[in-house]
Amino acid sequence: ETVTDLPAGNSNTTFYYKSNVVNANKAYSFLRFVVTATNSGHAEKGGNLFFHMAEFDLMPRTAEYVNKYPSATAIPAAIEAANTAIDAAKVKLETELTAVEYGTAYKSMQEAYENLVNAMYVPVTEITLDKAEATLEKGKTLTLKATVNPNDATESTVIWSTSKNSVATVKNGVVTAVSAGTVTISARAGDKITACTIKVLVPVTSVTIDKKTVTLTVDETITLEATVNPEDATDATVTWSTSDASVATVENGVVTAVAVGNATITVQAGGKKATCSIDVIIPVEEVTLNTTTAKLLVDETIILEATVSPEDATDTTVVWSTSDASVATVENGVVKAIGAGTVTITAEAGGKTATCTVVVEQMAGIDDVEENDNLVIYDLKGNVKTNQNNLEQGVYIINGVKTMVK
């Protein structure tokens, strides 16, 4: 310490001296001494300043540092030299000295102390990491282990740093991946440094195709679109494949139908995949009916026959429908008249249709039939009705005319 001014009179003051010549991290020892200063006047005004050492010792003890820092082989000799200088200085400092005499004695003690501090400094010779490079997924962590040599180096504390916080951060060796990219994680101890290169990847979480099923005819094509998630995936490259190239091929998402059958188109990216089912068919070109118009009386039926072309179409199933079930119904081509009116019967196969227009008329009706030798009456099963009186309600053929008896 440099004392430029003290209050008048005697003042007992404790001073601690720590080296200001060497790196602060190297100073593991302090000199402690109590000074009795007698000030006959302010120093800057020419007064005499006298010092008297009342106490003086060296901290910490020698054995502690010899055990703690075995690599610092110079410590014992430096301590012996420091103690010799201190003993010599004590002889002088125990008497009142002028400022100049005190400075001379103090300087020899200071130099011995500096030698001791430097002797206790064990430099780092090497620092290594357990990994030189690593790959890490976004959001994941990795712990790097640093080894400092020698193990009793004075500055063994490891200082961690990252070349780009936006890619990865590091704290106490724990690396956290932030976003895709490459980053250098550095570890420093003393004046030695080492590093690990970290590549941060953003993995693919899912792949989707815009269509789940597609029907094609031979030689027809369709383009499938694949979406890779997330958008910032490190490798969003997609690979297309087909389960049966004899049925359908695929290239960059373009599917071409080759022959009748089924094939599964698969797209993959980053270990994730999605599929689309492709059906290749021979389409129906035309549906025709054996008649396009018909006239029926209530309760009459007619059978419509549908022809599907070509004969080897993949699906020749015919689906029948009526435009008005209150006029006529249809089942498997059998049309039954229900009530008066006009109805359209439709046959559909493979997206193609054919229609028949059916007109249904109400048959003539009578309240009763009187027995008459000139009447010939049959029921609808062809049985002759000999008892013409009190016919049950229903439809009969009377003299060749279909008639309803009410």
Side-chain angles (χ1 to χ4, degrees):
E1 299 287 346
T2 301
V3 182
T4 58
D5 195 7
L6 287 174
N10 293 332
S11 178
N12 292 330
T13 305
T14 299
F15 295 94
Y16 289 88
Y17 174 77
K18 183 171 116 173
S19 171
N20 58 5
V21 177
V22 296
N23 188 302
N25 288 328
K26 303 176 184 178
Y28 282 89
S29 183
F30 292 86
L31 289 175
R32 178 175 65 84
F33 53 93
V34 178
V35 176
T36 300
T38 302
N39 190 6
S40 63
H42 293 294
E44 67 268 26
K45 295 179 181 180
N48 294 320
L49 187 63
F50 298 99
F51 297 87
H52 179 78
M53 288 300 296
E55 295 179 37
F56 189 89
D57 60 24
L58 182 65
M59 305 190 311
R61 293 181 297 276
T62 302
E64 292 180 357
Y65 272 87
V66 172
N67 293 333
K68 186 175 181 180
Y69 299 101
S71 297
T73 56
I75 286 180
I79 289 179
E80 183 178 354
N83 284 331
T84 299
I86 290 167
D87 290 340
K90 274 186 176 182
V91 174
K92 293 183 179 181
L93 292 174
E94 286 175 354
T95 61
E96 289 189 351
L97 303 175
T98 63
V100 173
E101 291 171 326
Y102 170 80
T104 300
Y106 178 78
K107 182 178 180 182
S108 65
M109 183 175 61
Q110 176 184 355
E111 289 176 350
Y113 169 74
E114 297 294 347
N115 291 334
L116 174 61
V117 170
N118 284 318
M120 291 189 299
Y121 178 71
V122 180
V124 175
T125 59
E126 181 187 38
I127 180 173
T128 59
L129 290 176
D130 58 336
K131 293 180 177 64
E133 58 184 24
T135 300
L136 194 59
E137 291 186 357
K138 177 182 177 181
K140 299 295 181 65
T141 61
L142 171 69
T143 299
L144 295 176
K145 182 180 178 182
T147 301
V148 178
N149 291 313
N151 57 11
D152 64 335
T154 303
E155 296 179 275
S156 59
T157 301
V158 178
I159 307 300
W160 297 90
S161 62
T162 175
S163 63
K164 191 176 292 186
N165 277 303
S166 61
V167 176
T169 61
V170 62
K171 183 177 182 181
N172 297 327
V174 179
V175 181
T176 301
V178 177
S179 64
T182 301
V183 65
T184 300
I185 302 299
S186 299
R188 177 176 62 83
D191 59 356
K192 304 300 180 181
I193 190 169
T194 187
C196 174
T197 301
I198 303 289
K199 184 177 183 180
V200 178
L201 305 178
V202 179
V204 174
T205 57
S206 67
V207 181
T208 59
I209 299 180
D210 59 337
K211 296 177 178 62
K212 293 293 185 182
T213 60
V214 175
T215 300
L216 300 175
T217 59
V218 175
D219 293 332
E220 190 178 3
T221 63
I222 188 171
T223 300
L224 299 178
E225 294 185 3
T227 301
V228 178
N229 295 305
E231 292 182 356
D232 61 343
T234 303
D235 186 1
T237 304
V238 296
T239 302
W240 296 89
S241 61
T242 178
S243 63
D244 191 343
S246 66
V247 174
T249 61
V250 61
E251 185 175 357
N252 297 326
V254 179
V255 180
T256 302
V258 177
V260 175
N262 176 269
T264 299
I265 302 300
T266 301
V267 62
Q268 296 189 65
K272 305 297 181 180
K273 65 180 181 179
T275 61
C276 176
S277 179
I278 304 294
D279 287 314
V280 181
I281 65 169
I282 297 176
V284 173
E285 297 178 359
E286 183 183 33
V287 178
T288 58
L289 293 175
N290 56 334
T291 182
T292 57
T293 60
K295 184 179 288 186
L296 299 175
L297 295 175
V298 173
D299 286 338
E300 281 188 324
T301 60
I302 186 176
I303 298 176
L304 297 179
E305 295 179 359
T307 301
V308 178
S309 299
E311 293 182 357
D312 61 348
T314 302
D315 187 0
T316 58
T317 303
V318 178
V319 178
W320 297 89
S321 62
T322 176
S323 63
D324 190 346
S326 66
V327 176
T329 61
V330 62
E331 184 176 358
N332 297 327
V334 179
V335 180
K336 181 178 180 180
I338 303 299
T342 301
V343 68
T344 299
I345 303 300
T346 302
E348 185 273 332
K352 303 297 182 178
T353 61
T355 61
C356 176
T357 301
V358 178
V359 177
V360 178
E361 296 178 345
Q362 188 71 45
M363 65 184 65
I366 58 176
D367 291 332
D368 200 357
V369 177
E370 294 183 359
E371 190 168 350
N372 188 327
D373 292 338
N374 295 325
L375 293 179
V376 179
I377 302 174
Y378 295 91
D379 61 20
L380 295 182
K381 294 182 179 181
N383 300 317
V384 177
K385 305 299 290 185
T386 55
N387 183 9
Q388 299 177 359
N389 293 326
N390 301 319
L391 290 173
E392 295 178 359
Q393 182 178 350
V395 178
Y396 299 90
I397 307 298
I398 303 176
N399 288 345
V401 179
K402 186 178 288 188
T403 304
M404 176 175 284
V405 176
K406 301 178 181 180

